[in-house]
Amino acid sequence: MTTTRRMTFGDVIREHRRCFADADALVDGDLRLTWAEVDARTDRLASALAAAGVGTGDRVLWLGQNSFRVYELLGAAAKIGAMVCPGYWRWAAPEMAFAIEDFDPKVIVWQQEEIGETVAKARAEVSGTAALWLRHDGAGEDGYEAFLASGSAEDPDREVDPDTALLVIYTAAISGRQCGSMLSHRNLLAMGANGGWMGDIGQEAAFLNAGPMFHIGNYQLWGIPAFLHGGKNVVVRRAEPEQLLPLLVRERCTHAYLMPPTIARLVELNKEAGHDLSFLKATIAPQLWQGMATTDTSRFTRNGGGEGRVYGQTEVTGLVVTAASGGSGTGNAGRPGLFSMVRILDREGRECAVGEAGEICVRGDLVHLGYWNRPEINAERFRSGWWHTTDLGRREADGTISFLGTTTRMLKSAAENIFPAEVENCLESHPAVREAAVIGVPNERWAQDVKAVVVLHDGAEAGPEELIGHCRERIASYKKPKTVEFLGALPRTAAGTKDYEALDERFGGGGYPGADTLGAGR
């Protein structure tokens, strides 16, 4: 029996060239590309990558800030079966070096501005890598544009399996080292279709990519939905309100990924500028706009998505449970959306009764392929055919889901997840530190601040600033402790593990994700 080729992310670009040839697809500063131009450029880039030895299952690492080129690399990789990881530009040099060694890319595209010194340090640590290095903000022979121009204009026209990885996002530093979550073509297409349905995203959408492109949030709300539906993605290097406001107005952005502090600053700026922002649909915390933007009326926002009535993680391609699916109910997260199934399972893998707390487990087209190069973790997390999220939840009587908290400790700083084990490992690498524990203390603006509780070796000396500086040099700055306390010994549970509850009580810890409902699950 003859079968047709299944749809891939690259096919989306090919089809948009025919449906929306002259419509804007990508805008980045003064650069503006139509869908026809995106298709042509991704053909050339795919051909250049193939000529450099990049093929099925090979990897491209991006070490830079937000850029239209991240979408372009995804499109090119999609056409030849490769995968792309947008690395975190705020990584410290050791973290960056770890990602280079772990991901083992054939090509690394890097940025000089702001992070060139960090990249150089990381590159020196992995001098043995055979990767081809391309500078994305340089015009020389080793520059991105020169490399792209060297490729053939012909469409590679390779058959690519949509169940292979395309986008890899490093996350989940539960064991002290981050893992690359592999998202397939099918994952991204399902996420885009689901997000488009929830957010009422169509070809007329113009999305401001102000969220970091190493983070799933920017893609789910609403970068990939806009891309899949032929809309316009406006990319900004970083979220600086003074630059965002005129850009929102110039491009008449209908949607934007903005955190509450940024929204507050934009509102303040616009009180003086007086721009009409009624074209912008406010999705995240719409009340913060003070009426300047139009409150979004899509399924996502009117059912509380912008106020946090959602549940998801990178490993399930973003949001897997929302109030958009079936409306608001008893649960604080909503119901599973399109392409996904959710079960609340006990420690033996049995489904919990309604009202009983257990682990949130997921199946379906939104579940990732697993972590890159982590077979043992993947086997554990995919046991019994379900993805085990390590998050605690409960099925309510009306069928909705409540998120109750994490079964592993996690902190939240603005939109960023911080795993204590990673920070503790970093602190314990200091020669004066015998052991360390990390807790989160509430911060009204940023959700939580990192507080370290440290035990020094006998006779050793190290002050708070020294330990904070030690972390700043080795992990991303937002993960470093804001404050440090010293004890002679850490409190222990009956099982001998670090007693974080005792530390929270003593040092004012709190504000953890899901903490408002955690008691209900105990």
Side-chain angles (χ1 to χ4, degrees):
M1 183 177 68
T2 302
T3 59
T4 60
R5 195 164 86 181
R6 293 180 294 162
M7 192 82 172
T8 68
F9 194 82
D11 292 328
V12 171
I13 300 172
R14 294 179 174 107
E15 194 65 15
H16 286 348
R17 179 177 192 160
R18 290 157 175 80
C19 294
F20 310 115
D22 298 325
D24 287 339
L26 294 173
V27 175
D28 189 339
D30 294 331
L31 179 133
R32 187 176 299 271
L33 296 176
T34 65
W35 281 107
E37 290 168 329
V38 169
D39 189 44
R41 282 177 62 88
T42 53
D43 281 347
R44 282 197 179 276
L45 183 55
S47 297
L49 288 170
V54 179
T56 302
D58 288 327
R59 294 157 302 286
V60 177
L61 179 62
W62 170 268
L63 296 178
Q65 295 167 317
N66 285 8
S67 170
F68 78 98
R69 292 189 173 115
V70 175
Y71 282 112
E72 202 165 67
L73 282 164
L74 285 170
K79 291 181 175 182
I80 57 174
M83 60 183 101
V84 176
C85 173
Y88 190 10
W89 64 269
R90 291 173 65 187
W91 274 334
E95 292 175 301
M96 196 174 284
F98 168 77
I100 294 170
E101 291 180 332
D102 184 60
F103 196 53
D104 189 23
K106 284 281 186 73
V107 174
I108 299 173
V109 185
W110 66 283
Q111 176 178 313
Q112 175 63 42
E113 187 174 359
E114 287 199 54
I115 64 171
E117 183 178 345
T118 303
V119 173
K121 290 179 180 177
R123 189 171 181 176
E125 288 189 33
V126 292
S127 57
T129 179
L132 171 65
W133 291 74
L134 301 171
R135 180 177 165 183
H136 108 83
D137 57 349
E141 292 183 0
D142 64 343
Y144 176 96
E145 287 297 329
F147 177 77
L148 183 149
S150 72
S152 166
E154 295 296 318
D155 187 331
D157 197 28
R158 296 187 183 182
E159 185 164 353
V160 174
D161 183 352
D163 288 317
T164 54
L166 174 57
L167 172 64
V168 178
I169 295 179
Y170 270 81
T171 182
I174 294 170
S175 62
R177 281 295 194 182
Q178 295 196 69
C179 303
S181 174
M182 298 185 291
L183 304 178
S184 68
H185 297 250
R186 184 185 297 276
N187 291 153
L188 297 180
L189 295 180
M191 181 246 274
N194 193 34
W197 174 82
M198 286 195 302
D200 194 23
I201 303 295
Q203 195 275 329
E204 72 287 346
F207 173 64
L208 178 64
N209 290 248
M213 297 181 82
F214 54 76
H215 195 292
I216 195 64
N218 188 81
Y219 297 103
Q220 69 187 16
L221 299 175
W222 303 100
I224 296 297
F227 197 94
L228 261 59
H229 288 83
K232 176 172 67 174
N233 271 285
V234 180
V235 182
V236 62
R237 190 163 61 91
R238 58 189 304 173
E240 296 178 348
E242 289 76 10
Q243 296 179 9
L244 295 183
L245 182 58
L247 189 59
L248 282 167
V249 175
R250 187 188 80 189
E251 298 300 331
R252 297 188 65 82
C253 294
T254 59
H255 299 78
Y257 187 88
L258 300 166
M259 290 292 99
T262 305
I263 295 173
R265 178 60 179 153
L266 286 168
V267 168
E268 182 183 336
L269 290 170
N270 200 46
K271 284 179 180 177
E272 182 176 343
H275 294 300
D276 176 11
L277 299 179
S278 60
F279 49 81
L280 178 63
K281 297 179 181 180
T283 55
I284 298 174
Q287 74 281 358
L288 294 180
W289 287 96
Q290 300 180 25
M292 291 182 184
T294 301
T295 297
D296 183 28
T297 58
S298 70
R299 292 178 181 88
F300 179 79
T301 304
R302 70 172 181 257
N303 289 322
E307 303 296 340
R309 293 184 65 82
V310 297
Y311 168 77
Q313 58 180 208
T314 302
E315 295 89 337
V316 293
T317 327
L319 301 177
V320 73
V321 177
T322 72
S325 302
S328 298
T330 306
N332 64 13
R335 294 180 174 85
L338 303 172
F339 313 111
S340 59
M341 300 167 60
V342 171
R343 296 289 183 271
I344 308 299
L345 302 181
D346 65 15
R347 293 182 184 278
E348 285 70 46
R350 298 177 299 233
E351 185 170 8
C352 295
V354 169
E356 180 184 353
E359 186 176 9
I360 300 173
C361 298
V362 188
R363 272 183 187 167
D365 290 348
L366 291 173
V367 177
H368 74 161
L369 301 177
Y371 298 124
W372 166 256
N373 199 28
R374 302 288 189 276
E376 293 181 0
I377 297 177
N378 292 337
E380 168 66 17
R381 298 285 293 276
F382 275 115
R383 64 188 183 276
S384 68
W386 292 86
W387 172 252
H388 289 250
T389 65
T390 73
D391 287 330
L392 191 69
R394 182 179 60 226
R395 177 83 66 175
E396 307 293 357
D398 64 354
T400 55
I401 303 291
S402 286
F403 167 59
L404 304 177
T406 59
T407 60
T408 55
R409 286 182 61 84
M410 184 183 77
L411 281 59
K412 195 80 170 179
S413 178
E416 301 295 349
N417 297 333
I418 301 171
F419 292 88
E422 183 179 20
V423 186
E424 291 168 359
N425 285 352
C426 183
L427 285 163
E428 289 169 358
S429 71
H430 189 285
V433 176
R434 187 169 75 201
E435 60 178 349
V438 166
I439 63 173
V441 293
N443 179 304
E444 185 176 345
R445 182 179 177 88
W446 302 111
Q448 287 181 302
D449 287 334
V450 179
K451 178 184 281 292
V453 183
V454 171
V455 178
L456 298 178
H457 289 293
D458 292 341
E461 294 183 2
E465 290 305 316
E466 180 179 345
L467 296 181
I468 292 170
H470 175 81
C471 291
R472 185 187 294 112
E473 293 174 357
R474 290 163 175 79
I475 57 177
S477 183
Y478 74 90
K479 303 175 189 176
K480 71 181 185 300
K482 291 287 186 67
T483 55
V484 180
E485 304 284 351
F486 294 92
L487 292 178
L490 293 180
R492 297 282 174 179
T493 66
T497 60
K498 298 173 185 177
D499 192 339
Y500 291 99
E501 290 188 7
L503 292 170
D504 282 342
E505 184 175 356
R506 179 168 179 177
F507 295 109
Y512 298 97
D516 56 333
T517 55
L518 187 58
R522 288 178 169 172

